[in-house]
Amino acid sequence: MGFILTTLHFFVIGIIASFCTRICCNKGPSANLFHFTLVITATVCCWMMWAIVYLAQMNPLIVPILSEGE
């Protein structure tokens, strides 16, 4: 549930950021496309970083080694 919900949050934040850049930085069709591309790329990169870290914690490769006293 956490993965899907957070993915939805990233999607909504990306859409909101795209509309904000469309409203605040309206300088022509090519500049708007460039800004839209930057916002979507940044959103996808942030989501991928979060997803990799989140999924890496589900099945860690290194198992903690406990000493005899613990």
Side-chain angles (χ1 to χ4, degrees):
M1 182 69 174
F3 187 80
I4 295 172
L5 187 63
T6 308
T7 300
L8 182 63
H9 283 146
F10 271 101
F11 181 73
V12 169
I13 289 170
I15 296 298
I16 291 170
S18 296
F19 284 130
C20 287
T21 56
R22 174 90 173 155
I23 292 169
C24 296
C25 303
N26 194 3
K27 296 183 180 180
S30 62
N32 287 342
L33 180 62
F34 180 67
H35 293 146
F36 179 72
T37 304
L38 286 177
V39 168
I40 295 301
T41 302
T43 304
V44 168
C45 287
C46 288
W47 174 80
M48 284 180 62
M49 184 65 195
W50 171 82
I52 289 168
V53 170
Y54 182 82
L55 293 175
Q57 294 176 19
M58 295 177 105
N59 189 14
L61 296 176
I62 301 172
V63 178
I65 300 172
L66 300 175
S67 65
E68 296 283 333
E70 294 182 15

